[in-house]
Structures are given as C-alpha cells and as structure tokens.
Amino acid sequence: MARAPEDWLPADESNPWRRRETRQVYANPWFAVEEHQVVRPDGRPGIYGVVKPARLALGIVALDQAGYTWLVGQYRYPLGRYSWEIPEGGGDPHADPAAEAARELSEETGLTAAEWRLIQTLHTSNCFTSETALIYLARDLVQGRPAPDDSERLQVVRLPFRVAFELAAGGVISDAMSVAAIFRVAQLLADLDLE
C-alpha cells in the first residue's frame, strides 16, 4: 500500500521556541511589527521580530474558456521596481475570503466570475511575517470596468495562460504568490484537464 504524502514527513513538529514577552513596536493600517523576547531552540535568550498583516492576502488566477489569463503590472515601492502579477490584494480577515477575492478581481481587472475555487494556501516570507495568502482560480468570466484604488496605477493585460507560465518559469514574473499560483494552475490543467 502506498504511503500518503504526509507519511514521508517527520512526526515531531513541536515548537522549540519559548516566548517570554511581546511588545508592539510599530503599527499602521496595513500591518504591525512585534518584538518578541524569546528563548531560542539552543536555550539561549534572543529576540524575534514578527510582521503581522492586518489583511488577508488574496490572489486570483482568472482563466477564460479560450485559455487566456490576466496579469496586472504595477511599480512595487518596497522593491524599487516594476512587477507583473496575478490580480492580488488584501481582504478583510473577518469577511468571506472568496467575496473579498471577487471584489479585488473586479477592482483591478473589471472581471466578475461565476465559478470560484480555492486552489492554494500560502505563508509568504514565513521567517518574519505571519501573513497567510489564499489563491483562487476564477472561471466563467464576464468583462466589466476596472475601478482600482486611488493609490494604484495599474496596467492590465490578457494573454495566453501558457505565456504567463513561461514568464513565471523564466523569472520575468517574480512575485511569489503569482509564481506559486501560476504553477499550481499549470499542474491542475495538466492533471485535471481544466481547459
């Protein structure tokens, strides 16, 4: 009998860190930064900084019947460079995540979708942030008019999904959520014949 994928992983997943004290050192409407006084796995005292986002990270791969998808381009200030990505943004962590993803897709691309499927949960940069990202596949699309936030200057392109995959595989798309999402959809297309 074949082993389940989880059976290949070691059983000990206990936490080797001990938290002694936590204080918030910075906060704004998007995230907070905490400093934790800890006892490290080696038993020595240390500190750990944790970025705690206020919003849920959401990403959407919109895929139409012809095999096309949408990318959004924008200048990413922290990186100091332009970035091509799947439609993505932040959602209210207390609201329905699929509804929040639908809002984000509509704002950035003008698209609405009748079919939504959660395809992946990610933890981005988990060495310093507790951010969780949910990736959705949106199908059965209708084009409307985008309404981006005032702080966004976006370019939106529709292109064959295979081209988006080549851009991600070739490093042109470097946004982690986008790369993971595009690779996941490519796997689904190959395994489940979604086209």
Side-chain angles (χ1 to χ4, degrees), residues 61-118:
V61 176
L63 191 62
D64 70 13
Q65 291 292 81
Y68 280 70
T69 193
W70 281 255
L71 294 179
V72 176
Q74 63 184 307
Y75 189 87
R76 288 296 191 180
Y77 184 85
L79 294 178
R81 64 177 288 238
Y82 205 81
S83 179
W84 285 100
E85 306 162 1
I86 62 172
E88 54 187 45
D92 181 342
H94 305 294
D96 173 39
E100 291 290 283
R103 176 194 47 75
E104 193 64 40
L105 179 65
S106 177
E107 283 178 6
E108 291 194 355
T109 67
L111 293 168
T112 56
E115 181 186 330
W116 287 88
R117 179 176 171 192
L118 178 64

Side-chain angles (χ1 to χ4, degrees), residues 142-170:
V142 175
Q143 184 66 62
R145 191 178 183 113
D149 290 339
D150 293 339
S151 65
E152 296 176 317
R153 189 175 76 188
L154 307 178
Q155 294 185 77
V156 179
V157 296
R158 178 180 176 260
L159 69 168
F161 179 79
R162 64 169 178 74
V163 174
F165 180 82
E166 290 167 6
L167 291 169

Side-chain angles (χ1 to χ4, degrees), residues 40-62:
R40 302 180 331 186
D42 64 5
R44 295 172 51 197
I47 62 168
Y48 211 114
V50 178
V51 176
K52 303 199 74 133
R55 315 265 298 156
L56 183 63
L58 301 165
I60 306 99
V61 176

